[in-house]
Amino acid sequence: MRSELVEKAAQVVPELPVLINMVSKRVKQLTLGRPALIDKKPGMREADVALLEIIEGKIKVERPEDEFLNQD
């Protein structure tokens, strides 16, 4: 896992436990064969793919409070 990607992803998802859970879940999905949501370059590991997906906004955090605030 590249540290510069971790730093950039932490700007998108500042809560470290949430970021770790997102990356972990996505790595598991990628390992099981789910397609990457970005252009995967040769030599990229699954964690780097997950971090780039977060940085590029392909994967977002769903928070229950966000849903509550959007209700009429």
Side-chain angles (χ1 to χ4, degrees):
M1 189 175 334
R2 295 177 18 206
S3 61
E4 68 271 9
L5 293 179
V6 174
E7 290 174 17
K8 287 181 183 179
Q11 292 175 355
V12 177
V13 182
E15 303 90 358
L16 191 57
V18 174
L19 178 60
I20 291 169
N21 286 336
M22 289 175 69
V23 172
S24 175
K25 184 175 182 177
R26 187 62 179 139
V27 165
K28 184 176 181 180
Q29 291 173 346
L30 292 166
T31 303
L32 292 174
R34 298 281 294 273
L37 302 174
I38 60 162
D39 291 330
K40 186 176 177 184
K41 295 180 175 57
M44 284 182 75
R45 304 187 95 176
E46 284 81 5
D48 295 333
V49 171
L51 289 166
L52 276 172
E53 290 175 342
I54 292 166
I55 293 165
E56 293 183 11
K58 307 287 183 178
I59 298 175
K60 297 181 181 178
V61 178
E62 281 191 28
R63 294 183 172 98
E65 64 270 12
D66 292 343
E67 183 178 318
F68 178 75
L69 294 174
N70 291 328
Q71 292 181 350
D72 294 326

